[in-house]
Amino acid sequence: MKQFLFMLIAMVSTVTIAQNYISGQVTINDSSQPIPYANIYFPQLEKGTTTDDNGNFTINNLPSGVQKITISVIGFETFSENITLPATSPFQFQLKPSAIEMSEVILSTPFHKLQKDNVMKVEQEKISTLKAKGAVTLSDGITNIAGVESITTGMGIGKPVIRGLSSNRVLVYAQGVRLENQQFGAEHGLGISDAGIESVEVIKGPASLLYGSDALGGVLYLNPERFADPNSNATNINTRYFTNTDGYNVNFGHKASADKFKFLIRLGQAEHSDYQTQDYRVTNTRFREQDLKTGLGYQSTNFKTDFRYNVNLSKLGIPEEIGIQSDLKTPLEPYQSLTNHILSSKSTWFFDNSSLDISLGYIYNDRQEFEDHHHDEHGEEHHDEDEDDHDHDEDAHEEEHHKDQAPALHMKLKTFNYNIKYNLPTMGKFETIVGVQGMLQNNSNYGEEQLIPDATTNDVGVLATSHIHFETFDVQLGARFDHRNIDIDNAITKQFNSFNGAAGIKANVTKAILARLNLATGFRAPNLSELVSDGTHHGTNRYEVGNINLKNEQNFQADLALEYANEHFEIFANGFYNHINNYIYLAPNGNFIDNTPVYNYLQSNARLYGGEFGVHLHPHPLDWLHLESSFETVTGQQDNDDYLPLIPANSLTNTLRAEFNTNTLKNSYAFVKLRTTFAQNNVSQFETTTPSYNLLSAGVGTTVTLFKNPLDISIAGTNLTDKVYINHLSRLKTDGIANMGRNISFGLNYTL
């Protein structure tokens, strides 16, 4: 370690202090007509600007060496190119008009490339787009991404599912660091608000090469909002109201950047009542959430750093049965009270043609779960929905009642993680990264009940990966070794090791056809719950017994992605096959403890296969019109052909969308979407089948000018026919409780 620090100091001391700048103009291809308000961005530097009315721009304080520049604007094909600094003359960039959506820079993969240049297939969606489709929460919004679903407990609790895998098999990254918040629990949600998150990226398939254990099934990568451009500032308020839950989400943010220093802050709050179906409210699906995100950045010519902090406070009702019918917003017992702190820093040193990235994170998750010991006190309460004063008094009464209760289950999870990567100098066709990642985690108990014991986990992994550029194709290769040590209650020590690799190729078969083939292995070490749990998990109504002899889950996955695109038509087919050795699952043993069924953790081999397929038509000359259709399917089975639990049903989504961006209709759109979810009859022996259903949704939006500033207005409706249905991944399914009925949301986003 000392040698590494000496090397780091030596490298930093050799940083060149040359200050470079770039200037130029962006115009339409084969024309001298300038393009105003185009986004100029250096992904590695996280620095950019926009062109002026004449398409001109200047960016100062840039390091020497080869840097990737991207230029994007609606209505044009995204431009990406490596340039060498210093540059002696202004640049002239020309963009091609295109009706296809502009490409975004992918941050979850190591080389910061546009999706069209990436060897791995990564899905990306802006949070604003998910909200415009009527999403109530972040976990609800991600289900609009192909291949992604959510295991839900009402509306307030959702767990991401990527191609049939969830919980500790899907890794979540926030603020550039690994998010740890007791993901082992079936009723443990993301614990993070969509306020202050710019976009979400999804890696579907093994990402252990990049992220280590728990990325066996994929990665959900949450990109925080960017700082303001240099020497600029912005203030923004965003609010949305939902008719079904009489709920709202609101957040307020301000950001300002000087030449070197940057600052941002965002405050958010959400409150929702029990959601409604056609016939009843689902008791205790109510929840409250408060969120603060702030950041401080500094950027000079050869060094940049940013510190970010997020605290999320939430109270989430845990529904059990249909009972009290009210529109109160304070959860009843049982409920979860969660406090989640994320403190992160990300620093980069730039050298000639190379750079060093160091990301550090500290996550403090305080989880309290309250049981209904005193439920009888409130079992007879009555609520008149027309008496607002009564609402307030009852909510206040519940708050006081909560303050007097001690949590039945109280766990604190403290996690420190680090990620150090060195981007080697480019050597011909090779871009190479080497790195070391690790995590130190401590779990401790404070409640009267204990599901998993106190324990300390220590991870360390080393990796190397290269991107090799050829004229018509690109290759990416990588290898990694990981070691995990778990000290359980100072009595038991378990160690797990794994070696993993990945190889991928992206080829331009023709000018219009792009093919990607990726082969990768991944692993997941057993978590504490699976190894040593011994107690009643009230959220799932099971007495769970761990298995100290569990082995690593180890998988191999093959992905093939084909894309055809011309100016007015696109088609894609993404297929995968995933084989998992030593797949860990729960099964009842036939015994009962305290009238609760006993479940044991077992292992067997498993396989999952399926994919996503779709078409997108935007016919000429009606470039504003978009017809989209996509189909998703996944099947999961053990080696004995028994089906795996919690596998999403197949679905077909058809969307008709219109987009307009003129002087009178700025950023305007309208859409109608019909999602058909097919019957799920391929179920495990402990599940019930789920019938098919159709959900209709629609929305409109536009941007108007108010006091010389833009105001975004949107209206979206989901389940417009008020269909009574049950999603196969709903944890309320066993009680026959339906999912949310018709919901209309109204959104405003105002920027100063």
Side-chain angles (χ1 to χ4, degrees):
M1 188 66 182
K2 289 182 179 180
Q3 290 178 336
F4 176 78
L5 291 174
F6 285 137
M7 181 183 72
L8 177 59
I9 293 171
M11 292 168 66
V12 173
S13 67
T14 61
V15 173
T16 56
I17 310 300
Q19 295 186 8
N20 306 304
Y21 74 94
I22 179 177
S23 63
Q25 186 183 39
V26 180
T27 60
I28 298 176
N29 186 45
D30 298 328
S31 165
S32 59
Q33 183 177 346
I35 302 177
Y37 314 120
N39 296 304
I40 316 294
Y41 192 61
F42 287 91
Q44 294 287 82
L45 307 178
E46 296 183 353
K47 189 169 187 175
T49 187
T50 56
T51 57
D52 61 19
D53 290 338
N54 297 312
N56 297 315
F57 71 93
T58 299
I59 303 178
N60 297 307
N61 298 324
L62 299 173
S64 299
V66 178
Q67 300 293 340
K68 182 174 290 294
I69 186 173
T70 66
I71 306 174
S72 60
V73 63
I74 294 175
F76 293 86
E77 184 177 325
T78 299
F79 176 89
S80 175
E81 187 177 89
N82 286 330
I83 62 174
T84 301
L85 299 174
T88 57
S89 59
F91 285 84
Q92 189 75 22
F93 296 110
Q94 293 190 329
L95 304 189
K96 298 178 181 178
S98 174
I100 300 173
E101 286 80 359
M102 60 184 185
S103 299
E104 298 288 346
V105 175
I106 300 298
L107 300 180
S108 55
T109 52
F111 298 100
H112 289 279
K113 298 186 181 299
L114 296 178
Q115 178 55 63
K116 65 179 182 179
D117 301 324
N118 217 13
V119 173
M120 297 179 66
K121 176 69 173 176
V122 179
E123 303 286 349
Q124 186 191 70
E125 283 283 0
K126 290 188 175 297
I127 295 299
S128 57
T129 302
L130 301 180
K131 287 182 175 180
K133 294 179 179 178
V136 179
T137 63
L138 178 60
S139 59
D140 180 33
I142 62 175
T143 62
N144 289 284
I145 301 173
V148 183
E149 293 290 343
S150 185
I151 298 173
T152 61
T153 307
M155 282 304 301
I157 303 174
K159 299 179 70 66
V161 179
I162 299 178
R163 288 177 167 175
L165 297 177
S166 61
S167 299
N168 282 94
R169 297 182 182 95
V170 171
L171 192 59
V172 179
Y173 256 61
Q175 298 177 194
V177 298
R178 175 183 177 132
L179 179 65
E180 290 290 318
N181 63 355
Q182 306 282 11
Q183 290 99 320
F184 71 88
E187 81 293 2
H188 296 180
L190 281 172
I192 191 166
S193 167
D194 60 19
I197 297 177
E198 184 170 293
S199 63
V200 54
E201 296 175 13
V202 181
I203 300 176
K204 295 181 286 191
S208 290
L209 168 67
L210 304 177
Y211 297 104
S213 179
D214 301 347
L216 174 143
V219 175
L220 193 70
Y221 197 95
L222 307 175
N223 293 315
E225 68 175 300
R226 296 177 184 177
F227 290 100
D229 289 339
N231 302 306
S232 68
N233 64 82
T235 300
N236 165 272
I237 183 168
N238 185 295
T239 184
R240 187 165 288 272
Y241 172 74
F242 303 88
T243 59
N244 186 287
T245 61
D246 188 28
Y248 68 88
N249 298 347
V250 62
N251 63 79
F252 171 85
H254 176 75
K255 53 186 177 182
S257 296
D259 219 18
K260 294 185 177 181
F261 286 97
K262 301 174 282 189
F263 172 76
L264 62 79
I265 186 170
R266 186 163 297 276
L267 296 164
Q269 179 161 315
E271 287 191 318
H272 292 268
S273 303
D274 299 338
Y275 75 76
Q276 289 182 299
T277 68
Q278 192 180 91
D279 302 316
Y280 52 81
R281 286 187 179 271
V282 180
T283 307
N284 211 26
T285 53
R286 63 194 75 172
F287 62 95
R288 285 178 166 175
E289 181 180 56
Q290 296 168 309
D291 191 80
L292 164 68
K293 291 184 176 76
T294 187
L296 179 65
Y298 172 81
Q299 185 160 15
S300 62
T301 303
N302 296 90
F303 173 73
K304 71 178 179 69
T305 186
D306 72 65
F307 296 88
R308 294 187 186 248
Y309 172 68
N310 172 217
V311 58
N312 183 275
L313 310 173
S314 55
K315 287 187 176 180
L316 310 169
I318 301 177
E320 294 183 311
E321 58 186 14
I322 304 301
I324 299 167
Q325 297 290 289
S326 84
D327 58 4
L328 299 178
K329 294 181 172 63
T330 300
L332 304 167
E333 295 173 343
Y335 72 94
Q336 300 174 358
S337 179
L338 309 176
T339 303
N340 199 55
H341 303 267
I342 307 174
L343 179 64
S344 64
S345 74
K346 181 182 179 182
S347 302
T348 303
W349 288 263
F350 296 98
F351 317 110
D352 283 343
N353 295 319
S354 68
S355 61
L356 177 70
D357 298 315
I358 299 179
S359 295
L360 305 174
Y362 180 74
I363 299 92
Y364 175 28
N365 179 255
D366 189 341
R367 175 178 296 276
Q368 301 181 61
E369 298 188 3
F370 295 80
E371 298 174 9
D372 48 353
H373 296 302
H374 307 285
H375 185 69
D376 290 343
E377 292 182 27
H378 307 285
E380 299 301 322
E381 67 176 314
H382 174 73
H383 175 64
D384 186 339
E385 295 186 2
D386 296 327
E387 297 179 5
D388 292 337
D389 291 338
H390 182 65
D391 292 355
H392 178 77
D393 292 343
E394 287 295 322
D395 266 333
H397 177 70
E398 286 292 341
E399 290 283 9
E400 288 300 317
H401 174 68
H402 290 173
K403 291 178 182 179
D404 297 334
Q405 302 301 309
L409 188 70
H410 187 186
M411 296 186 291
K412 295 182 180 180
L413 189 68
K414 302 172 185 177
T415 307
F416 169 74
N417 53 49
Y418 56 90
N419 187 350
I420 303 171
K421 293 180 181 176
Y422 180 53
N423 299 268
L424 276 67
T426 302
M427 295 179 289
K429 301 178 184 296
F430 286 78
E431 290 182 81
T432 301
I433 293 174
V434 295
V436 57
Q437 297 173 338
M439 177 181 76
L440 181 62
Q441 184 176 87
N442 178 261
N443 182 76
S444 51
N445 288 274
Y446 298 88
E448 62 186 65
E449 296 181 4
Q450 180 174 303
L451 177 61
I452 57 176
D454 296 352
T456 300
T457 302
N458 193 356
D459 281 2
V460 63
V462 293
L463 69 103
T465 182
S466 290
H467 189 113
I468 312 165
H469 302 268
F470 297 95
E471 191 164 333
T472 58
F473 66 95
D474 290 67
V475 173
Q476 189 167 320
L477 303 170
R480 178 185 179 115
F481 176 78
D482 284 274
H483 172 77
R484 169 171 287 188
N485 184 89
I486 305 178
D487 183 1
I488 303 169
D489 213 9
N490 294 319
I492 303 173
T493 299
K494 294 289 292 183
Q495 295 186 348
F496 302 93
N497 300 300
S498 185
F499 181 84
N500 292 281
I505 182 171
K506 175 190 73 74
N508 297 97
V509 181
T510 68
K511 186 178 179 180
I513 299 176
L514 178 67
R516 292 182 176 90
L517 175 64
N518 282 275
L519 308 175
T521 64
F523 88 105
R524 183 179 74 90
N527 61 47
L528 281 176
S529 179
E530 294 163 339
L531 288 170
V532 288
S533 61
D534 187 14
T536 300
H537 195 165
H538 291 279
T540 57
N541 194 34
R542 295 191 295 245
Y543 191 101
E544 298 180 3
V545 178
N547 182 350
I548 196 63
N549 297 314
L550 293 176
K551 302 175 182 178
N552 276 348
E553 290 184 339
Q554 190 78 42
N555 80 326
F556 171 79
Q557 181 163 320
D559 284 272
L560 177 62
L562 299 173
E563 301 173 28
Y564 171 86
N566 61 27
E567 190 176 357
H568 300 289
F569 180 72
E570 300 168 67
I571 185 169
F572 69 88
N574 305 326
F576 75 95
Y577 180 84
N578 185 6
H579 188 274
I580 305 176
N581 289 324
N582 299 315
Y583 181 89
I584 300 171
Y585 64 98
L586 271 169
N589 64 11
N591 297 326
F592 287 80
I593 296 179
D594 296 330
N595 295 319
T596 303
V598 178
Y599 279 69
N600 294 102
Y601 283 98
L602 305 174
Q603 286 188 301
S604 92
N605 296 337
R607 62 186 181 276
L608 298 98
Y609 52 91
E612 304 86 39
F613 313 89
V615 296
H616 178 189
L617 175 66
H618 31 90
H620 182 74
L622 306 177
D623 291 337
W624 50 268
L625 181 65
H626 299 261
L627 299 154
E628 300 172 330
S629 181
S630 64
F631 175 71
E632 305 171 29
T633 179
V634 59
T635 300
Q637 293 176 280
Q638 297 183 39
D639 272 1
N640 62 4
D641 291 335
D642 284 350
Y643 289 103
L644 299 179
L646 296 174
I647 299 297
N650 297 341
S651 65
L652 174 67
T653 303
N654 293 291
T655 304
L656 175 65
R657 181 162 51 95
E659 295 179 345
F660 306 95
N661 192 24
T662 65
N663 290 332
T664 55
L665 292 172
K666 292 183 178 179
N667 302 321
S668 299
Y669 67 87
F671 73 88
V672 178
K673 181 174 75 172
L674 178 66
R675 176 160 180 160
T676 300
T677 300
F678 298 98
Q680 179 56 291
N681 297 315
N682 299 333
V683 296
S684 74
Q685 61 184 112
F686 312 114
E687 286 184 305
T688 57
T689 59
T690 309
S692 63
Y693 54 88
N694 295 294
L695 297 179
L696 179 67
S697 59
V700 295
T702 190
T703 300
V704 300
T705 300
L706 180 65
F707 304 121
K708 298 182 180 181
N709 294 302
L711 172 65
D712 302 324
I713 304 171
S714 62
I715 303 173
T718 57
N719 192 5
L720 290 174
T721 62
D722 208 17
K723 174 72 175 179
V724 177
Y725 74 100
I726 300 178
N727 187 288
H728 187 69
L729 299 187
S730 170
R731 291 190 56 254
L732 307 182
K733 175 174 174 282
T734 55
D735 296 316
I737 298 176
N739 286 76
M740 180 183 284
R742 182 187 298 114
N743 185 33
I744 310 296
S745 62
F746 303 87
L748 298 173
N749 181 42
Y750 188 57
T751 302
L752 298 174

